[in-house]
Amino acid sequence: NAEYGGTMSLKDAARKIIVDDMFRPLHIRGEWKILVVDTLGKKIISTCLKMKDMLDNGITLIEDLDKPRQPLTYLDAVYFVRPNQKNIGHIKKDFGEVREYSGRLYKAAHLFFTEIIPDDMLVDIA
């Protein structure tokens, strides 16, 4: 255990990064957020965290990016996905930036990627 001078497992290190760098900075007591994940994001989250960890950090619901989702325009969404064209397209659609879809699903987006996002994709989503 790292707390007692030992080494930290990969699972514990990933959990610490997710909680300390993704969830905790966004957490405001009494405000809830939705976590939107793709397949890889879901695998990482489900391996490293328990639902209690998420609830303790303001995440109330986990949704699959690839499945139809109901608008919850009063909640922010925290996305944890691979940076690829398909996922970027879904995110843009979620905020009404694709012509055949109007309106947004969530109040705001907080984007976290499972790997470094290429510059062209970052420009596309900005």
Side-chain angles (χ1 to χ4, degrees):
N1 187 333
E3 293 177 87
Y4 302 104
T7 58
M8 184 180 287
S9 72
L10 182 58
K11 179 179 166 181
D12 289 339
R15 180 191 175 284
K16 182 172 176 31
I17 289 169
I18 291 167
V19 169
D20 291 351
D21 296 343
M22 283 176 50
F23 295 161
R24 197 162 288 144
L26 298 174
H27 182 54
I28 298 168
R29 190 172 179 84
E31 284 188 20
W32 295 101
K33 292 179 179 45
I34 296 170
L35 179 63
V36 182
V37 293
D38 63 357
T39 304
L40 179 60
K42 184 175 10 177
K43 284 181 185 177
I44 293 168
I45 293 292
S46 66
T47 299
C48 301
L49 297 162
K50 294 178 169 58
M51 193 64 199
K52 180 181 180 344
D53 297 319
M54 289 181 270
L55 290 169
D56 288 348
N57 287 283
I59 303 295
T60 187
L61 179 66
I62 302 170
E63 297 212 306
D64 189 323
L65 182 68
D66 292 319
K67 293 185 178 167
R69 291 165 277 128
Q70 294 296 315
L72 296 167
T73 56
Y74 56 94
L75 294 174
D76 286 8
V78 178
Y79 289 82
F80 185 49
V81 298
R82 274 190 173 139
N84 60 40
Q85 289 297 337
K86 182 182 98 170
N87 289 346
I88 298 299
H90 279 303
I91 294 166
K92 289 172 74 172
K93 185 175 85 172
D94 288 355
F95 287 87
E97 293 186 25
V98 176
R99 192 175 333 175
E100 60 269 17
Y101 298 94
S102 61
R104 51 180 51 217
L105 289 184
Y106 310 109
K107 181 169 72 173
H110 305 275
L111 305 178
F112 295 92
F113 296 100
T114 57
E115 56 197 77
I116 296 172
I117 183 169
D119 289 342
D120 61 321
M121 283 188 206
L122 187 59
V123 168
D124 186 35
I125 202 161

